[in-house]
Amino acid sequence: MQVIDFATVEDLEGVIVSAFGDPGLEDLASRLLVPVVGIAQSGMQAAAAGGRRYSVVTTTPDLVGAIQRKAKMLGLGPQLASIRLTSGDLAETMTHPDLLSDRLGAAVEEAVRLDGASAIVIGGGPLAEAAKSLENRVSVPLIEPVPEAVRSLRARI
């Protein structure tokens, strides 16, 4: 495996860690001379703006621990109302776009109604299309993490 020293790439202006949970973000940030942001970090910070309680809605049970750790590390743990997972079989959910949208929508509604979330972060870049389909059905801000990371990185550059 070849290791690339990104700090020597002349045209590099910044880096986005585009895996929810931001694996390796801190290590990259400590090694690079350019800003490094993550999609979980950016989404959570946007959702928690102004002291809002927020929830993360995702499809992947394996992300729960990483989401909790990230919220705590960012100082946003107390504002995290919940982490909601879609119901049903994960492979089936991800294979059918309409089913994904319906299941994400149900989890979002529960986060708002049962957990008191004032904003929702959709936990994962591959969920962006489904998130777009929910925008008109949700009564609170729905945060897509990839565009938030782009906004965050642009602000730092």
Side-chain angles (χ1 to χ4, degrees), residues 1-24:
M1 173 167 82
Q2 181 182 8
V3 177
I4 298 171
D5 180 2
F6 288 106
T8 63
V9 178
E10 292 176 18
D11 294 331
L12 187 67
E13 293 183 38
V15 174
I16 295 174
V17 175
S18 197
F20 207 80
D22 305 337

Side-chain angles (χ1 to χ4, degrees), residues 107-118:
V108 166
E109 289 172 14
E110 288 178 350
V112 172
R113 185 172 39 85
L114 300 176
D115 307 326
S118 297

Side-chain angles (χ1 to χ4, degrees), residues 22-58:
D22 305 337
L25 185 142
E26 292 77 19
D27 187 44
L28 274 174
S30 73
R31 294 172 183 245
L32 299 180
L33 301 175
V34 297
V36 179
V37 300
I39 64 173
Q41 169 195 53
S42 300
M44 288 181 186
Q45 288 172 333
R52 288 188 294 211
R53 285 179 50 79
Y54 68 98
S55 291
V56 176
V57 175
T58 189

